[in-house]
Amino acid sequence: MSVAVGIEAPSPRRSARRRSASFAIPVLIAVLAVTAIVALTVGAAGIPLSRLPAALGLAGESTAMTVRDQLVLWSIRIPRIAAAAMVGGLLAAAGAIMQGLFRNPLADPALVGVSSGGALAAASAIVFTDSRFGEALRFLQTELLPLAAFAGSLATTAILYGISSRSGRTSIAIFLLAGVAITAIANAGIGLLVFIADDRQLRDITFWMLGSMSGATWTKAAVLAPILVIGLAACVFIARGLDLLVLGEADAFHGGVDVERLKRISIVMVSAMTGVAVSISGVIGFVGIVVPHLLRLVIGPAHRLLLPASVLLGAILMVGADTLARTIVAPAEMPIGILTAAVGAPVFLFILLRQRGLTSL
């Protein structure tokens, strides 16, 4: 009797995922370009698509309308779109890294307190620099806010990692529960600052809590750009380690990964990405948890592709949400954190229910 031995053919679902993965980056780049063009034309000062080339200085004569369009685009709209895209990319990449590091889809900088820690530090910097004790540093407030937010995010992440780690192992349950506790502590600190703040400080602190891109400028976009570039470069080096870490720390170690070094690099990256994003936009939730989830369903879990795809999809989501925030209740502006929570929470619940249905099969 002969026994036929062969290689198992890939499932149709896996083949479809591989085909989707090969087109993911070009498609996301195209969608981001279209979203940015739409965002350029939409707003309180509308710029029709026919006037956009002249406003960008690409064609047409210089008229009074062209000068007005150029002022709106280059002084307000373009830096805001650039900052929104980078904030969304940073938050989504930070969520993907944290989920890979802790091997848990619930790990997210906003849910586990990293964003709240950064917001608390930024709010403290606002109140301190506006007080008589920090009056000498008031002129450095723009530079101090990203540094304070980064330090707050780094301290929060380090505390979480210290609490949840024991004998070289990290407990995901303790990590998430500790994140809930630290979020409560950070919110209590922000509440205290709100209590002692004056009217101007209160408006600034409210900005951090609700999230908004209204204060975006070229200077703030320049603060985001180097962190995003460094983060993308670092993602190339940690992608393989995160893939192997899914199998467990022991298997990753035997696969040639310096697990502790990977953890340190990932923690610093998550802190830097979250810190500078929080310093510009305030606390914006669900971007870092929903974007990696959606991409894993389409292109798979390989971080070599997942991390850059998360940056692009996060940028698309944030630019779209910011465009909607400044047009849906025009001439007023809705806080962007409200929109991301309103959209992200139902999507997250849908993903959970879908995963529960797949698990029960």
Side-chain angles (χ1 to χ4, degrees), residues 336-347:
I336 195 170
I338 296 176
L339 288 177
T340 56
V343 175
V347 172

Side-chain angles (χ1 to χ4, degrees), residues 247-291:
L247 303 175
E249 294 186 10
D251 290 335
F253 176 77
H254 291 302
V257 178
D258 188 339
V259 176
E260 292 304 317
R261 182 170 175 267
L262 175 65
K263 289 180 180 179
R264 289 192 296 268
I265 293 174
S266 299
I267 287 174
V268 171
M269 287 179 60
V270 169
S271 302
M273 291 175 170
T274 305
V276 295
V278 167
S279 71
I280 302 300
S281 65
V283 179
I284 297 177
F286 288 101
V287 176
I289 193 169
V290 170
V291 168

Side-chain angles (χ1 to χ4, degrees), residues 206-300:
T206 303
F207 160 80
W208 298 112
M209 296 307 298
L210 295 179
S212 173
M213 299 303 304
S214 60
T217 61
W218 283 115
T219 302
K220 293 181 178 180
V223 172
L224 291 165
I227 301 298
L228 181 61
V229 172
I230 294 172
L232 285 173
C235 285
V236 176
F237 297 98
I238 68 171
R240 177 179 175 274
L242 292 176
D243 287 340
L244 292 176
L245 197 61
V246 174
L247 303 175
E249 294 186 10
D251 290 335
F253 176 77
H254 291 302
V257 178
D258 188 339
V259 176
E260 292 304 317
R261 182 170 175 267
L262 175 65
K263 289 180 180 179
R264 289 192 296 268
I265 293 174
S266 299
I267 287 174
V268 171
M269 287 179 60
V270 169
S271 302
M273 291 175 170
T274 305
V276 295
V278 167
S279 71
I280 302 300
S281 65
V283 179
I284 297 177
F286 288 101
V287 176
I289 193 169
V290 170
V291 168
H293 261 302
L294 293 176
L295 288 172
R296 284 192 182 94
L297 296 176
V298 177
I299 65 176

Side-chain angles (χ1 to χ4, degrees), residues 141-203:
Q141 188 180 76
T142 302
E143 291 77 13
L144 286 177
L145 286 182
L147 293 176
F150 170 68
S153 298
L154 179 61
T156 303
T157 309
I159 291 171
L160 285 171
Y161 182 72
I163 292 175
S164 60
S165 297
R166 183 177 181 182
S167 301
R169 294 187 176 183
T170 303
S171 171
I172 301 301
I174 294 178
F175 177 82
L176 295 175
L177 292 174
V180 173
I182 289 181
T183 299
I185 294 172
N187 289 337
I190 293 174
L192 178 62
L193 292 173
V194 168
F195 178 75
I196 65 177
D198 58 28
D199 290 340
R200 186 162 67 88
Q201 295 168 354
L202 184 59
R203 286 194 300 270

